Amino acid sequence: MKKSIIVGKTNAGKTLFMINFAEYIGLKKIVLKQEYPDGKKLSKEMSTDLAKSYLSSDREYKTQCIQSICIDLPVYKGKKEITLLDTSGLIDGIHPKLSVRNGIIQTLEKIQEADIILHMLDIALLIDNNTLSEIDRQIIEYGRNRKGYVLIPNKIDLDKDKIGLHTLRQEYPKQFMIPISALYKKGFDEVKAFVIRSI
Ligand SMILES: Nc1nc2c(ncn2[C@@H]2O[C@H](COP(=O)(O)OP(=O)(O)OP(=O)(O)O)[C@@H](O)[C@H]2O)c(=O)[nH]1
Ligand SMILES: [Mg+2]
C-alpha cells in the first residue's frame, strides 16, 4: 500500500489535516494506528470529532509518535487504499527533551520510506516571522529532488490579504504548492488530486 506522509514543524496543522481529510473523504470514524519511538504499538477506533479534540492542539509537540490511518481514494472506476501518516513535528535545532528528539528521529526515518510527502507549512508563522524557518527550507530542499513531494502552506484562513503566500511564492517561484486551510477543509480537492496523480 502506498504511503503518504505528512511532515512539518510542530503546530503546522498536520494532525488536524489528517483527520479533516479523512472526514472530507467521507469517514466519520477512523482506525488510528500509533507507533511510538520505543516500539510500543496501539490501535484505536474513534470518531473524527473525538480524534480532533484528543489528538490536535495548539500546544507544541502534541504528536509524539507516528500515527496513521488508511483511506480509500477514488481511482478511475475503482478505489485505491493509501496509508496517511501523521508525524511528530520537526523543529530548528536540537530539542532538550529526549521524547521530542526521539519522535523527530522517527519522523526522519519514515520520510525516506514514503511514496508521497505532504509538507505542511504554517503560513501564520511565516507572516509573524516574515521569513521561513530553517527546517522548512531544508524540507523543501530535500523534497525538490523527490517524486511525490508537495509544499502545502496551511492556515490560509489567517492570510486574508495573501501576504504570507506572496512571500513564499517570491522565495520559491518554481515550487509547486497547494495552499489549504486544514481547519476549514479548503484546498482539499487539489490535495486529493495530487495524491491520486502520485500513486
Ligand atoms: N486558523 C487555523 N488554525 C489551524 C489550521 N490548521 C490547524 N490549526 C490549528 O493549529 C493548531 C495545531 O494543529 P495540530 O494539527 O495539532 O498541529 P500539528 O502539526 O499536528 O502539531 P504537532 O503535533 O505539535 O507537530 C491547532 O490549534 C489547530 O486547530 C488552519 O487551517 N487554520
Ligand atoms: Mg500533531
Side-chain angles (χ1 to χ4, degrees):
M1 200 189 315
K2 296 277 183 182
K3 289 182 188 159
S4 185
I5 195 166
I6 309 162
V7 296
K9 282 195 84 165
T10 179
N11 223 32
K14 300 178 295 296
T15 301
L16 186 63
F17 169 76
M18 178 180 74
I19 303 162
N20 270 349
F21 194 72
E23 264 186 6
Y24 157 83
I25 295 293
L27 298 178
K28 291 193 171 61
K29 277 185 179 174
I30 53 170
V31 177
L32 185 81
K33 291 190 178 142
Q34 293 181 313
E35 193 182 326
Y36 284 83
D38 65 2
K40 189 171 76 179
K41 289 185 182 175
L42 298 173
S43 180
K44 301 171 185 167
E45 187 180 89
M46 63 182 93
S47 71
T48 48
D49 281 340
L50 181 68
K52 276 184 251 186
S53 60
Y54 177 58
L55 303 171
S56 165
S57 158
D58 57 4
R59 246 187 35 231
E60 292 190 325
Y61 316 113
K62 174 68 180 166
T63 308
Q64 297 201 356
C65 63
I66 298 288
Q67 46 193 19
S68 63
I69 58 172
C70 288
I71 56 171
D72 280 332
L73 292 174
V75 191
Y76 306 110
K77 286 179 184 163
K79 284 178 179 172
K80 196 149 189 180
E81 200 179 21
I82 66 151
T83 307
L84 200 52
L85 294 104
D86 176 31
T87 59
S88 303
L90 301 171
I91 50 160
D92 290 331
I94 298 169
H95 197 276
K97 237 175 128 182
L98 182 65
S99 60
V100 173
R101 290 205 302 273
N102 284 341
I104 291 172
I105 293 168
Q106 204 190 13
T107 300
L108 296 175
E109 282 169 3
K110 293 282 177 186
I111 289 181
Q112 293 168 37
E113 302 167 6
D115 303 289
I116 297 164
I117 301 172
L118 308 176
H119 174 191
M120 203 84 22
L121 184 144
D122 184 343
I123 205 84
L125 189 72
L126 172 60
I127 298 167
D128 283 352
N129 295 345
N130 200 26
T131 185
L132 267 95
S133 64
E134 188 50 37
I135 189 69
D136 280 317
R137 290 183 192 281
Q138 286 180 15
I139 303 170
I140 293 170
E141 286 311 316
Y142 173 78
R144 279 177 149 180
N145 305 313
R146 284 248 338 224
K147 228 176 110 232
Y149 167 83
V150 64
L151 178 59
I152 303 187
N154 183 31
K155 309 193 188 180
I156 53 163
D157 52 289
L158 300 177
D159 187 21
K160 295 252 176 334
D161 39 19
K162 300 199 163 72
I163 293 174
L165 266 187
H166 181 71
T167 308
L168 195 56
R169 287 203 167 112
Q170 266 192 328
E171 286 225 30
Y172 293 99
K174 290 188 183 147
Q175 181 60 51
F176 175 60
M177 7 184 140
I178 306 177
I180 68 158
S181 169
L183 186 58
Y184 296 106
K185 300 179 183 160
K186 293 274 183 290
F188 282 20
D189 289 349
E190 289 80 0
V191 177
K192 186 175 83 176
F194 175 81
V195 173
I196 291 172
R197 271 204 310 279
S198 309
I199 54 182

